[in-house]
Amino acid sequence: MIKMILNINGTDRILVVDPNEDTLADVLRRIGLTSVKLGCGAGQCGTCTVLLDGKPVRSCVIKMKSVQEYAKVETVEGLGVSAKPHPLQSAWIALGGVQCGFCSPGFIMSAKGLLDQNPNPTRQEVRSWFQR
Ligand code: FES
């Protein structure tokens, strides 16, 4: 086990992790960020997506040994709250993107990753993004 610091949703957090066994999803869920869902656990479904240094990653397949000290991690908990949702969360609700809700946090974070890079994507660019 090692101690490391990550900046999670804007706050530096001291974590104790097993760098070879723990995944980023394991660690985030362990500290209570349960928006990070485990679906396939194999990097296929995207429900565990978070932003790592601004880039969407499937946190279920990211071992902690590959996460840099002081890396910036963003989860849906850092976006908005029910009283003041992020515009993406509002759009998800207004346009029926929620469905059962299990994968919503991961897909919202993936959408944020897209819009941070490309604020005005075409419909085809959105489709291509989510098929990666
Ligand atoms: Fe399916 Fe991570 S849980 S990609």
Side-chain angles (χ1 to χ4, degrees):
M1 301 292 262
I2 61 166
K3 188 167 77 172
M4 68 185 302
I5 297 174
L6 297 181
N7 183 283
I8 301 174
N9 294 328
T11 301
D12 285 345
R13 303 281 302 259
I14 301 171
L15 307 165
V16 176
V17 305
D18 181 330
N20 295 309
E21 293 298 320
D22 287 337
T23 65
L24 180 58
D26 295 331
V27 171
L28 293 172
R29 289 185 58 81
R30 193 181 304 145
I31 64 170
L33 298 174
T34 55
S35 74
V36 181
K37 301 289 191 275
L38 286 175
C40 67
Q44 298 297 313
C45 71
T47 198
C48 64
T49 301
V50 301
L51 300 185
L52 179 61
D53 290 327
K55 295 193 171 67
V57 296
R58 295 185 175 173
S59 61
C60 70
V61 292
I62 303 288
K63 292 287 190 189
M64 290 306 295
K65 66 184 176 188
S66 65
V67 178
Q68 298 295 310
E69 182 105 40
Y70 297 106
K72 183 178 173 188
V73 179
E74 298 171 74
T75 72
V76 82
E77 285 91 344
L79 282 188
V81 294
S82 57
K84 189 176 180 201
H86 183 276
L88 266 171
Q89 292 168 307
S90 296
W92 231 257
I93 294 165
L95 300 173
V98 175
Q99 300 181 47
C100 81
F102 186 80
C103 66
S104 294
F107 280 87
I108 288 171
M109 295 313 295
S110 185
K112 183 175 186 303
L114 168 62
L115 295 174
D116 287 348
Q117 285 181 24
N118 178 0
N120 193 19
T122 65
R123 184 173 292 269
Q124 186 54 47
E125 287 169 331
V126 172
R127 284 191 177 128
S128 296
W129 181 264
F130 283 106
Q131 288 174 355
R132 298 179 324 146

